[in-house]
Amino acid sequence: MTTRPFHHGNLRAVLLEEAESVIRQDGVDGLSLRDLARRAGVSHGAPRSHFADRQALLDALAERGFVRLTTRIERALAHDEPARAQFDRIARTYVDFAVDDAALMELMFATKGSAAAPAVGQAAARLFAVLDASLGPADPADPTRARGRFTLLFAATMQGIAALVASGRVPRATGDTLVTDAMESMLTSELGGRAVTRR
């Protein structure tokens, strides 16, 4: 009887790719290190050379998701266009990611993930720092913490729209309309007026 080789070229990346495929199809509950080893064609103990346990794998997936979303937001910000158009682009980028990678997005914002791994919290903080920077120069005299509230409201609203689309409650075209409506409401609100210093 032959045994599967313990080593695999760039095994960590292979395992993460396979894990993403599993959670897209079966959700987080369908994920196990033993099954991933089988899918990657390595011995069942091989994944533990990269992930101490299943939670470590979930944390790595969440961190990777935040990095990917942040990169996409940064690309959206690289377009030279008026602020309003750029905010619409950022919002659509966020919603597209959350719809296309719904299971990963849910994992990224799972409380146990962010609490268990500092790297996940750091990756999430970088995402929100990029979103904050998109608002323009901060007003250090603002006692209402408008920027932080606006950024959290943005994330909550876009994830809510994405959830409606991903679940089939509304078609994607309707989701696009909701994004436009949401950004119009947020940017013209009193909160938006205090939070957004870029025009």
Side-chain angles (χ1 to χ4, degrees):
M1 177 178 170
T2 59
T3 58
R4 291 183 176 131
F6 184 90
H7 294 291
H8 191 293
N10 203 9
L11 179 58
R12 188 177 192 277
V14 170
L15 292 171
L16 288 171
E17 289 291 338
E18 291 291 347
E20 280 197 44
S21 178
V22 169
I23 67 172
R24 282 194 194 102
Q25 186 171 6
D26 303 321
V28 172
D29 290 342
L31 195 60
S32 75
L33 289 175
R34 182 176 288 271
D35 181 58
L36 282 183
R38 179 187 61 76
R39 291 170 65 107
V42 296
S43 67
H44 68 81
R48 295 191 181 276
S49 63
H50 298 282
F51 308 106
D53 53 25
R54 183 174 179 273
Q55 185 59 53
L57 171 64
L58 293 177
D59 290 339
L61 281 172
E63 180 187 2
R64 179 171 152 136
F66 276 116
V67 170
R68 188 183 304 160
L69 177 55
T70 301
T71 298
R72 292 188 187 181
I73 296 292
E74 288 174 331
R75 286 179 186 153
L77 284 166
H79 287 78
D80 185 15
E81 57 192 353
R84 176 56 193 272
Q86 197 165 68
F87 284 125
D88 281 345
R89 184 183 296 275
I90 293 168
R92 291 180 198 288
T93 298
Y94 196 107
V95 169
D96 285 347
F97 181 92
V99 170
D100 295 338
D101 284 296
L104 180 59
M105 193 70 157
E106 182 178 352
L107 173 62
M108 287 158 57
F109 284 91
T111 54
K112 65 180 180 181
S114 60
V120 178
Q122 291 164 7
R126 181 164 174 262
L127 168 64
F128 281 93
V130 169
L131 290 173
D132 179 85
S134 73
L135 302 178
D139 178 6
D142 178 18
T144 65
R145 299 181 185 273
R147 291 170 69 91
R149 289 162 51 208
F150 185 92
T151 302
L152 288 174
L153 180 61
F154 170 86
T157 303
M158 296 310 137
Q159 284 180 227
I161 294 170
L164 289 173
V165 175
S167 67
R169 296 283 182 179
V170 301
R172 197 143 188 170
T174 302
D176 288 341
T177 301
L178 291 174
V179 169
T180 300
D181 292 342
M183 291 311 301
E184 174 69 22
S185 297
M186 291 177 64
L187 291 170
T188 58
S189 68
E190 182 182 354
L191 176 63
R194 289 198 303 267
V196 181
T197 59
R198 176 172 168 254
R199 300 294 178 224

